Each structure stands twice: as structure tokens, then as C-alpha cells.
Amino acid sequence: MATPQPPMSDERRGFLLGVTAYLIWGFAALYWVQAEPVQAQDLLAHRAFWSMPFVLLCLLFIGRLRSALSILRQPRTMAVMTASALLGATNWLVFLWAISHEQASDAALGYFLLPLVNVVIGLTVFRESIDTPQKVGVAFAVAAVSLQVIYHGGLPLVALGLSLSFGLYGGIRKKVSVGSLEGLFIETLLMSPFALAWIVYRDGAGLGQYGLGVDMVLLGAGAFTAIPLISYVAAGRLLPLSALGLVFYIGPTTQLLVAVYAFEEPFTGVQAAAFGLVWIGLAIVTLDNARRLRQSRRLRARAAEAAP
């Protein structure tokens, strides 16, 4: 007789959901570049508009549409969801602009910074504790940004825009008790009227203008947008924000490889130094996180042994 498998822990489920989200985001540029020559603002409109019916169908399929619609009668929650929708749209637009302007490597740097930005948000917004290795990791991230400021004479706006908008998005979503699918439905419902107006104003915003291949990319924008975002938000609800930020940086690694090897973007010595500083910071905090995780497991094991 087969031994029943123990139920998967929230920690493990959160880890798997986060990895799924970041893998999809890591290869996302290869998807969106297929929509050329559609402009970034038009792609944003299609992402926002086609995400709503896709999420609606998902809610109908699992029988949770009523719970999603009940959120519309909660003014405080709707105010928070409006803010998260604005931040989500900002993040989408910055990323799409970066891909269409040969700055995919800068976008990758932004998502490399995201784990450390999440640590800062977790510390300042959620009053999560932060230890010395995490402080050192954040210091390396600050050094990486400062290096680019000194060399280029200005802030790395794409990188900072992506990391701050998405970090704040995750932080805001954590402040409301709304399921990942229901929350995304409300966000896209708020965006969709503006997105539809833009698509009409732009005579289809690229739809039906550049061939069947581009049309399929635009129509599939909803599913491609919703699936990783649902996974990420669900992971954020299962893990502390700081833990989520410190673990899931497989996505930006993939993004950087795509930028350098698929798009053949130049990778300068200054960029390499900046990425190196961020990687050192991530290595420090990741090793510390692994150490604390092992300690927690040992404590749980001892408590289980001591229990009658």
C-alpha cells in the first residue's frame, strides 16, 4: 500500500508559484518582440484589455466570480486596488518601452534590484525585521545604482522604474485580503475602459494591421500577462515579502541572457560591474536566508520530537 504523501507546505507552494512566474517573465521579451512594430503604449492597451476577459473566464470556470464582484462593494479595498492597478500598468509600460527601445538589459537590472527593493519595502511598510546580511545586500544595490549614476550622469530610470513600481505593487496587494485571481480581475476591470478607448482611438492599436502573427500575439496578451501575475501574487500571500524578494531572481537572470544573446544588446564594463554588485548583494542575502531556513526547520524538527 502506497504511503500517503504529506501535504505541500505553504512555503513550498509559494516557492513553486514564484519560480513559475519568474520563468515566464524571464522569457517575456521573446514574446513581446514578436509584436513589432506595434508601439509600447498600444501593447499596454492590449495587455490591459485582453487580460480582463481571460481572468473573467477563469473565475467563471472555478466558480469564484461572485466573490470577485463583491469586492466592488468595498470602498477601501477598491481604493487600494485602484492604486495597485496604476502601479501595475506603469510597470507594464516601462517594460514594454524598454523592450522596444533596445534596453532589455536595463530592464533585467531593474528586476535584479527588485528583491532588494522588496526588502526595503518589507522593512519600511510592513515593519519586517532586517538583519545585517540584508542590510549589506541593500548597500550593494545602492552601490550598483550609484555607479551607473556616476558613469551615465543620471539615474538608471528603466531599472528603478521597474523595480519600484513592481515592488510597491506587491506591497500594496499584500495589504488587502483579496485572492490573486479576484484581485487581478478588479485591476483589469479598472484598466479595461481606458484600454478599450485607446484601442478605438488608435484604430485597433496594431490589431489587423501587421499580419496574423502580430494579431495572435496581441490577442494572447491577456493570458500571457495574467498567468505569471496570478502566480506571483499567490506566492506573495504564502511567503513574507522579504523572503519572496530574496529568493526569486531566476527571472532577471533569464532576461539578461535573452537581452545579450537573443537581442545582441551591448553589455558594457559598467553594466557588468553594476550587475556584479547586485549579484554579490543577492548572494549574501540568499545564503543568509538559506541559513535561517535551515535553522527554522531544525527547530520545528526538535519541537516535533519533543511533542508527546
Side-chain angles (χ1 to χ4, degrees):
M1 183 175 180
T3 303
Q5 294 295 320
M8 185 179 294
S9 66
D10 285 350
E11 182 182 277
R12 184 170 177 80
R13 282 194 295 134
F15 177 83
L16 292 175
L17 286 167
V19 168
T20 298
Y22 273 95
L23 278 175
I24 296 174
W25 282 327
F27 289 104
L30 294 175
Y31 180 86
W32 297 114
V33 77
Q34 303 303 315
E36 290 182 347
V38 179
Q39 296 182 21
Q41 62 268 30
D42 296 335
L43 279 175
L44 173 63
H46 283 289
R47 289 188 74 170
F49 181 74
W50 296 113
S51 293
M52 195 272 291
F54 176 81
V55 178
L56 176 63
L57 289 174
C58 291
L59 287 169
L60 284 170
F61 180 75
I62 63 176
R64 283 162 51 185
L65 179 59
R66 181 173 295 180
S67 66
L69 293 175
S70 69
I71 299 171
L72 298 172
R73 299 190 296 271
Q74 304 172 28
R76 179 189 173 278
T77 301
M78 286 299 298
V80 175
M81 298 306 299
T82 300
S84 68
L86 288 171
L87 286 166
T90 300
N91 183 265
W92 293 353
L93 181 59
V94 173
F95 179 77
L96 293 171
W97 184 91
I99 296 303
S100 60
H101 288 78
E102 299 181 351
Q103 294 191 37
S105 57
D106 287 341
L109 177 61
Y111 286 113
F112 268 116
L113 287 172
L114 176 61
L116 301 173
V117 168
N118 278 343
V119 172
V120 175
I121 294 173
L123 173 66
T124 57
V125 178
F126 295 102
R127 307 300 181 187
E128 295 176 357
S129 60
I130 181 171
D131 55 20
T132 300
Q134 291 174 325
K135 293 176 183 177
V136 173
V138 172
F140 272 101
V142 172
V145 174
S146 301
L147 176 64
Q148 292 212 321
V149 170
I150 293 170
Y151 185 80
H152 295 293
L155 290 169
L157 295 179
V158 167
L160 288 177
L162 285 171
S163 58
L164 287 173
S165 61
F166 201 69
L168 289 170
Y169 170 83
I172 285 176
R173 281 297 304 269
K174 201 173 178 69
K175 294 185 80 70
V176 292
S177 181
V178 174
S180 58
L181 198 58
E182 289 89 344
L184 184 56
F185 171 71
I186 296 298
E187 288 171 351
T188 54
L189 187 65
L190 291 168
M191 294 182 201
S192 57
F194 303 99
L196 180 59
W198 181 264
I199 292 171
V200 172
Y201 171 73
R202 294 278 290 174
D203 294 325
L207 190 64
Q209 299 175 19
Y210 302 108
L212 180 61
V214 172
D215 288 347
M216 294 302 294
V217 172
L218 297 179
L219 293 174
F224 194 81
T225 296
I227 291 172
L229 200 53
I230 292 169
S231 299
Y232 176 83
V233 174
R237 297 186 66 82
L238 293 170
L239 293 174
L241 191 60
S242 55
L244 180 66
L246 297 175
V247 173
F248 301 140
Y249 50 89
I250 186 172
T253 302
T254 310
Q255 287 179 344
L256 179 61
L257 293 174
V258 168
V260 174
Y261 293 104
F263 298 159
E264 298 182 347
E265 291 186 5
F267 192 59
T268 66
V270 173
Q271 286 177 301
F275 274 95
L277 289 169
V278 174
W279 280 329
I280 292 171
L282 286 171
I284 291 170
V285 293
T286 302
L287 290 173
D288 178 66
N289 192 56
R291 176 187 60 81
R292 289 187 285 112
L293 183 59
R294 287 195 299 270
Q295 286 180 342
S296 176
R297 286 175 176 170
R298 283 198 295 267
L299 289 173
R300 288 199 300 267
R302 290 172 185 170
E305 290 174 359

